[in-house]
Amino acid sequence: MAVGSFAGSIADSHMAVRNYIVPTDLSLDDLRSIFALTDEIIKDCQKFQDVCKSKVMASLFFEPSTRTKFSFDAAMYRLGGNVIGFADPNTTSQAKGESLADTTRIISGYADLITVRSPYEGAAKHMSMYSSVPIINAGDGGHEHPTQTLTDLMAIRHYKQTLDGHVIGICGDLKFGRTIHSLISALSRYPNNKFVFISPPELQLPDYVAHNIDQSMILRQTDSLINEIGNVDILYMSRVQKERFVSEAEYLRLRDYYILNAEKMKRAKKDMVVMHPLPRLNEISAEVDSDERAIYFEQARYGMYVRMALIMNLLDLG
Amino acid sequence: MIYVDSLNEGIVIDHIRAGAGFDIFFQLGLDKIDSVVLLMRNVPSEKMGRKDLIKVESNFELNLDILGLIDPNVTINIIQDGKIMKKFKLELPAAVSGILKCKNPRCISHREEIADSMFYLYDEQKRYYKCEYCDSVTWL
């Protein structure tokens, strides 16, 4: 956004902008383009170093983040752009009580796109109604985390060659796990995928997530990891989301409900892969890390590259 | 026997589920209008056993979304010159705004002032709606 084009930018602010709030905001064609672009970026990252020259990304993280924030910031810097943001949300006007709508109106006048993480579910969608630049949802409470899903899909595409025809076991906190909600929504768009949902009864998948997919894709809902581990092609483990619990005692009771260890891995298929959005706590023992089927650290490496491709796509620079 | 004048001009909301009349009365704001309003409860009905019924001596603008949400089975009769000019059944609205509140305490709609947030019909039988922001299911 050039300073000299102030009047123009105000007029442009009424034009439709593309956001990425939930996985279905990108068509399957968009996804194909983004994955192909990610492949190109991985092959020769330097080729893209000036693509976002003079572009500014506002990085609004109202909740803690390591991987997502760093990968977004690194993505923008590697594209030659700049990042504005804050280290501590308590130093922002939000802490003074300003509405998110007003904050968005102002920030969207300073930046070319906004990434936001908020503890409030639906925050990114709300911001998109007041923004003149693209909004990227970097996680809204226990609702959605669609850019983690891009990372996950890239990893599945690499390690399993295709995004269709898999039996996917989703294990852990299915109630509050926003990465899980986004992943299910995304994978349900590809043919012949089947899901096995593995969780304690208290942390079952919300109805609205299960309701939104073709019911024939749901093989089972169970609380037994040991009984299902041999049946799945992909095992997606997740952390119990401490920050969403009201009761500490309830969290402690459920925290270690599932622990994937070497013994359980003996029952899994030889070509099964174990994924995790990270951070990992006790749900995967360190002894599993050396198993070649454990791909969670490699999975995380796609995060920056696929976010570079997403930024380019939303800014029509791809 | 209660004697009630027949309406010359106005609206009759008939076949209200017995007990839901008060709710509809207040949700429609009938306690705030100047016109003659009659709420009858537990009226014997061949079809329903008992029903509630509301007569309003005014052609005020009915909020059909509210009516549909509370009791989609009611019948609306529009009366002009003492005759039923129009009679129709309600359906659950596919989308509503300004009536429901999201039941999810983590929803952004509780942090921000959002007057017209939309809710979309999710389960017709249970009359559940889905919040446009957080997708949580809510009902009246």
Side-chain angles (χ1 to χ4, degrees):
Chain A
M1 181 185 297
V3 174
S5 66
F6 180 68
S9 69
I10 294 290
D12 290 348
S13 70
H14 297 291
M15 290 169 58
V17 293
R18 292 167 62 230
N19 305 295
Y20 190 45
I21 310 294
V22 292
T24 47
D25 285 338
L26 291 176
S27 68
L28 292 178
D29 278 344
D30 285 331
L31 287 174
R32 265 190 292 276
S33 304
I34 286 170
F35 296 152
L37 183 56
T38 307
D39 287 338
E40 268 190 69
I41 294 170
I42 291 171
K43 219 178 282 171
D44 185 3
C45 194
Q46 288 220 322
K47 200 172 99 182
F48 298 87
Q49 63 185 359
D50 291 325
V51 169
C52 282
K53 205 171 173 184
S54 82
K55 300 283 184 195
V56 173
M57 180 181 82
S59 174
L60 310 182
F61 277 69
F62 298 105
E63 258 196 342
S65 168
T66 309
R67 267 157 301 279
T68 307
K69 178 167 169 46
F70 281 15
S71 65
F72 261 120
D73 291 0
M76 195 55 178
Y77 285 128
R78 283 185 182 270
L79 291 169
N82 288 293
V83 179
I84 54 173
F86 46 80
D88 178 1
N90 292 319
T91 62
T92 69
S93 54
Q94 282 284 294
K96 295 178 193 166
E98 184 180 49
S99 72
L100 195 55
D102 284 359
T103 301
T104 306
R105 286 183 176 108
I106 301 305
I107 302 287
S108 69
Y110 301 157
D112 297 283
L113 84 157
I114 297 172
T115 55
V116 60
R117 169 168 291 187
S118 169
Y120 293 101
E121 297 169 13
K125 180 176 175 82
H126 182 58
M127 288 175 71
S128 72
M129 294 170 179
Y130 299 92
S131 177
S132 54
V133 299
I135 299 283
I136 300 176
N137 182 6
D140 59 335
H143 186 218
E144 298 271 5
H145 191 350
T147 63
Q148 175 64 44
T149 295
L150 293 180
T151 308
D152 298 341
L153 295 182
M154 277 300 295
I156 293 171
R157 187 172 160 269
H158 178 81
Y159 285 96
K160 302 297 284 183
Q161 285 74 53
T162 66
L163 291 170
D164 50 52
H166 303 302
V167 176
I168 306 121
I170 312 249
C171 178
D173 185 349
L174 276 52
K175 182 177 182 185
F176 296 118
R178 59 190 172 198
T179 64
I180 286 171
H181 304 161
S182 295
L183 183 65
I184 292 167
S185 163
L187 282 174
S188 67
R189 300 167 84 188
Y190 294 92
N192 303 318
N193 281 330
K194 303 281 182 196
F195 296 100
V196 179
F197 299 134
I198 308 160
S199 72
E202 298 87 342
L203 296 179
Q204 281 183 359
L205 199 67
D207 275 350
Y208 75 82
V209 181
H211 190 272
N212 269 352
I213 67 172
D214 177 350
Q215 297 303 291
S216 69
M217 291 182 128
I218 303 173
L219 286 183
R220 278 176 297 284
Q221 188 151 292
T222 170
D223 68 347
S224 173
L225 172 60
I226 196 82
N227 287 346
E228 295 295 343
I229 193 166
N231 302 326
V232 302
D233 304 314
I234 297 164
L235 178 61
Y236 197 94
M237 296 293 293
S238 68
R239 168 179 72 91
V240 173
Q241 305 280 305
K242 181 182 183 185
E243 57 275 34
R244 316 281 171 228
F245 276 80
V246 178
S247 154
E248 173 84 5
E250 183 72 349
Y251 164 69
L252 291 173
R253 188 176 70 77
L254 295 168
R255 185 185 59 184
D256 297 333
Y257 202 94
Y258 300 108
I259 297 177
L260 182 63
N261 54 22
E263 193 58 33
K264 290 195 183 86
M265 286 295 285
K266 284 181 190 164
R267 294 181 173 225
K269 292 180 184 174
K270 294 275 180 264
D271 63 346
M272 184 268 266
V273 293
V274 182
M275 301 177 69
H276 193 299
L278 305 178
R280 168 260 308 259
L281 299 179
N282 298 334
E283 60 275 5
I284 302 179
S285 299
E287 63 188 18
V288 178
D289 296 353
S290 57
D291 191 308
E292 61 181 16
R293 293 168 293 182
I295 65 163
Y296 28 89
F297 295 121
E298 287 78 7
Q299 175 191 347
R301 290 164 65 101
Y302 286 103
M304 180 185 73
Y305 298 115
V306 81
R307 286 180 175 104
M308 288 171 76
L310 174 67
I311 290 169
M312 287 176 64
N313 183 281
L314 292 180
L315 293 178
D316 287 325
L317 301 169
Chain B
M1 181 72 184
I2 304 169
Y3 175 76
V4 180
D5 268 341
S6 60
L7 266 184
N8 197 41
E9 294 278 332
I11 297 164
V12 177
I13 307 169
D14 199 359
H15 302 121
I16 300 171
R17 177 171 36 85
F22 262 124
D23 206 7
I24 289 176
F25 182 88
F26 288 111
Q27 290 280 358
L28 289 177
L30 296 179
D31 55 323
K32 296 183 183 78
I33 65 172
D34 293 331
S35 315
V36 174
V37 181
L38 180 75
L39 164 62
M40 297 172 78
R41 302 186 64 209
N42 300 319
V43 180
S45 159
E46 260 183 48
K47 200 165 74 177
M48 301 172 68
R50 285 178 183 280
K51 66 177 183 181
D52 288 1
L53 185 144
I54 294 174
K55 290 183 177 187
V56 186
E57 204 175 276
S58 156
N59 283 320
F60 80 112
E61 201 173 318
L62 263 181
N63 186 331
L64 297 178
D65 285 349
I66 287 183
L67 270 178
L69 275 178
I70 300 174
D71 189 348
N73 300 314
V74 302
T75 307
I76 310 291
N77 300 290
I78 308 292
I79 313 291
Q80 275 177 9
D81 299 326
K83 292 180 184 155
I84 297 174
M85 294 305 290
K86 199 174 168 191
K87 182 172 186 163
F88 56 95
K89 296 281 288 178
L90 284 181
E91 282 178 2
L92 270 180
V96 291
S97 73
I99 302 165
L100 295 171
K101 290 227 176 295
C102 185
K103 292 190 191 298
N104 172 11
R106 299 177 303 279
C107 179
I108 188 67
S109 61
H110 297 298
R111 161 70 168 74
E112 300 268 300
E113 266 185 48
I114 303 172
D116 54 355
S117 83
M118 293 291 293
F119 291 83
Y120 298 98
L121 186 59
Y122 168 81
D123 186 320
E124 205 167 332
Q125 279 194 328
K126 293 178 180 163
R127 286 190 265 161
Y128 284 173
Y129 282 78
K130 202 163 78 163
C131 171
E132 70 167 322
Y133 290 102
C134 71
D135 291 312
S136 294
V137 173
T138 194
W139 56 92
L140 194 66

